[in-house]
Every structure is written in structure tokens, then in C-alpha cells.
Amino acid sequence: MEVNLRNTLVGHQNPIYTVAIDGEKQLLYSAGTDKGIVAWDLATDSFKRILCTVSSSVYCMLIIPVSGYLVAGLRNGELLVIEQEGPTLKAKLNVEKGAIFALQYLEAKNELLAIGEEGKAYVWNATTFDLLYQFQVSKTTVRSVSFHEATNCIAFGDKEGYIALHDANDFHRVAREKIHESGVSSLAFIANFLFSGGRDAKMYKLHIPTLEVLDTVVPHMFTVYGIQPLGNDLFSTVSRDKTIKIWNTDFKLQKNISRDKGIDSHFLSINTQDFDVQQGLIATAGDDKVIKLWQLS
């Protein structure tokens, strides 16, 4: 496997917290503490436009397939549903209190889930945007969420190191265990396992649905901010230690991408990543205000 820097996208004035790729439209969206969501053209690797302005920092984004909506969760508790073509604001939703840190789309049910600072999950119909459910996941902040289609389980990670599994049908709790010494900062289901990364700089491989620890590794020097499935039992991790690493599910390191290795990578914390399977493209971004595009082959 080869990983090569395809391009560096420059233009943000402040740290970037989240990126989202729309592979069908060949668009990349990025946002953070700037007062706008930026759209980039992946056909030319260039700036396209400011999609929209925002009232506060953007912590998370996702694309809802087919509809073409971009959803953004904000520090002030707003959830923006943006029609990309306009762009037009399709809906502006709110949680009761605090920031929104994580989003998940449940395709089979056409539902949109958001969770954040107060540890309560909110579920809306992704067409009408009517609020359908609310349920308490944790008494403290939840910063990460992931969905496993095969078992219909949603995983949540809170700032005290607990991971909770909930059934996506009626959202009842399946399991809850303390895994990390401090906050859970990233979650991903890969090859029928759940992988978690934390502020304790550890990464765990967990059994579904018992959350039994099967393996552990210290993948980075500091917080693991993202775990991204890449297909073929591979995944990438990004961290506050400025490195990108690619692993297989047995925790064997495949690639270490960093400035220490002579690669033109990030020089400050990497806060976010996304992957486009069609192009084999990883996008990473962070505190250095730039987006790096990495081509896998």
C-alpha cells in the first residue's frame, strides 16, 4: 500500500474541527472556529465557495446520502440541515442545552441522531425533521458515536471513559463498560469489532455486544481524535501528536505519516479525518488550519 500527499488546501483562518466528503458530488466540506462552512472541489482540489455562514463553531458534520443534505452540529446547540445545491437552509434544529459533538445517520430508518454536551441523544426523521425520540446515554458529555449495521448497535463514548451500546430499533441499552481512563474521543466499527480511542492515548479492540476488551495498543503519544475505516480490514487514526497512522485490525502498523518521517504532513494537532472510498482519498485537518489530501493506492 502506498499513501501519497495529493494536495494541501489552504484558506481557513482558524483551527478546523470537522471535514466531510460527498463522494458523489466530488465535494469536500470543512469547518471549525471560522464563521463559515467551506466547500472544496475535489475534481480540481481547489476552493469552490463558502457554503454558508454559521453563528458559532462547528464541531461535527455528515452527508445524508441521496437527499444531498449536509448536516452540521454547532457549539451553541444548533443543528443545521443544508441543501447543498442552493445552498438553502432546509431545517434548523436545536438540542436543549450545550454543544453538539457527534452525529449519526441511521439509513434503514431514515433517522438523524445528534448527541453532545449533556449526554442526551436526539433523533429526528431525516425527511420531515420532526423530533421522534430523546434518550439519556450518559450523565456527562458524549463526544463520539458510531453505528454498526450488521448488529444494529449504536456505540457512544463519554468523557469519563465509558462506552455504551444501544439498540438502534428502540434505543434501549445493550451494554455499558468503563474502557478508557479518561474521555472517549473516537469510535468505529470495523470487521465486526468496535475500536475506541481516548484521551489516555490508548486504543482498544472490543467484542460486540459484550464490550469485552480483546486487545489494546498505545497508537499515539496523545489523544486519538479519529478512527476511520478504510476497507479491507484497514483503518487510519489521527491524533493531537500530529501523526496519521494506518493499521490493520490486529493492530499491526502499516504506515506512519508524519513530519518526523520526512513527509509534508501537519505540524499541529490533527482533529478530524474522512475517507472517500471511490477515490481512495483520506482528508485530514486540524489546528494548523490546512487540509491535507492523501491518495491511497
Side-chain angles (χ1 to χ4, degrees):
M1 181 184 63
E2 293 294 327
V3 182
N4 295 297
L5 180 63
R6 186 172 104 177
N7 227 318
T8 301
L9 306 180
V10 179
H12 277 275
Q13 302 301 308
N14 291 291
I16 303 166
Y17 293 147
T18 178
V19 293
I21 297 174
D22 188 332
E24 293 297 324
K25 293 181 171 61
Q26 288 205 47
L27 292 172
L28 167 70
Y29 297 98
S30 58
T33 57
D34 285 344
K35 295 301 181 181
I37 297 172
V38 181
W40 307 86
D41 187 343
L42 290 178
T44 58
D45 290 352
S46 62
F47 171 80
K48 186 175 178 68
R49 62 180 172 179
I50 302 295
L51 185 73
C52 67
T53 58
V54 291
S55 54
S56 69
S57 298
V58 181
Y59 287 154
C60 51
M61 295 189 296
L62 64 75
I63 303 291
I64 299 181
V66 182
S67 70
Y69 297 144
L70 173 72
V71 184
L74 276 59
R75 180 181 180 181
N76 64 2
E78 289 182 352
L79 185 68
L80 306 181
V81 182
I82 303 155
E83 198 165 3
Q84 300 176 56
E85 292 300 327
T88 56
L89 184 63
K90 182 69 177 178
K92 183 162 77 169
L93 312 170
N94 287 86
V95 300
E96 292 172 6
K97 183 181 178 182
I100 298 172
F101 286 117
L103 300 167
Q104 183 66 56
Y105 176 61
L106 307 176
E107 187 171 4
K109 300 172 69 183
N110 190 37
E111 292 175 351
L112 174 65
L113 181 149
I115 192 165
E117 202 162 348
E118 60 173 342
K120 181 187 285 188
Y122 300 79
V123 183
W124 292 270
N125 179 290
T127 301
T128 64
F129 299 103
D130 295 325
L131 183 62
L132 303 175
Y133 313 101
Q134 299 178 52
F135 60 99
Q136 199 72 38
V137 172
S138 172
K139 294 180 180 179
T140 188
T141 300
V142 173
R143 289 185 176 270
S144 50
V145 61
S146 186
F147 175 61
H148 191 230
E149 189 173 357
T151 58
N152 209 36
C153 279
I154 310 171
F156 301 92
D158 74 17
K159 76 171 187 179
E160 293 181 349
Y162 283 90
I163 294 175
L165 284 185
H166 286 249
D167 187 287
N169 287 322
D170 60 7
F171 303 110
H172 75 272
R173 182 181 291 168
V174 176
R176 182 175 182 265
E177 297 290 342
K178 184 170 174 62
I179 303 298
H180 290 270
E181 297 165 23
S182 53
V184 182
S185 49
S186 51
L187 290 168
F189 288 100
I190 306 162
N192 293 320
F193 301 102
L194 176 61
F195 291 82
S196 69
R199 292 185 175 276
D200 55 8
K202 293 180 181 177
M203 183 164 57
Y204 289 92
K205 178 180 179 180
L206 306 170
H207 178 267
I208 310 168
T210 64
L211 297 178
E212 175 191 355
V213 174
L214 302 175
D215 203 355
T216 183
V217 71
V218 179
H220 294 276
M221 294 175 63
F222 303 113
T223 306
V224 184
Y225 277 137
I227 301 174
Q228 177 64 53
L230 303 176
N232 299 321
D233 293 348
L234 295 175
F235 62 94
S236 56
T237 58
V238 296
S239 170
R240 192 164 71 87
D241 71 1
K242 312 172 226 178
T243 66
I244 307 160
K245 294 183 179 180
I246 297 179
W247 311 80
N248 67 16
T249 52
D250 293 325
F251 284 160
K252 290 184 172 58
L253 183 62
Q254 309 295 304
K255 292 286 179 180
N256 182 352
I257 302 165
S258 68
R259 299 182 78 86
D260 291 342
K261 298 291 183 180
I263 300 168
D264 183 18
S265 185
H266 297 273
F267 60 87
L268 292 173
S269 172
I270 307 173
N271 302 327
T272 181
Q273 61 175 331
D274 199 11
F275 178 63
D276 178 28
V277 65
Q278 295 175 347
Q279 293 192 57
L281 182 71
I282 302 175
T284 59
D287 284 358
D288 59 6
K289 311 169 192 175
V290 302
I291 302 161
K292 297 283 186 179
L293 302 179
W294 306 95
Q295 191 68 57
L296 274 64
S297 60

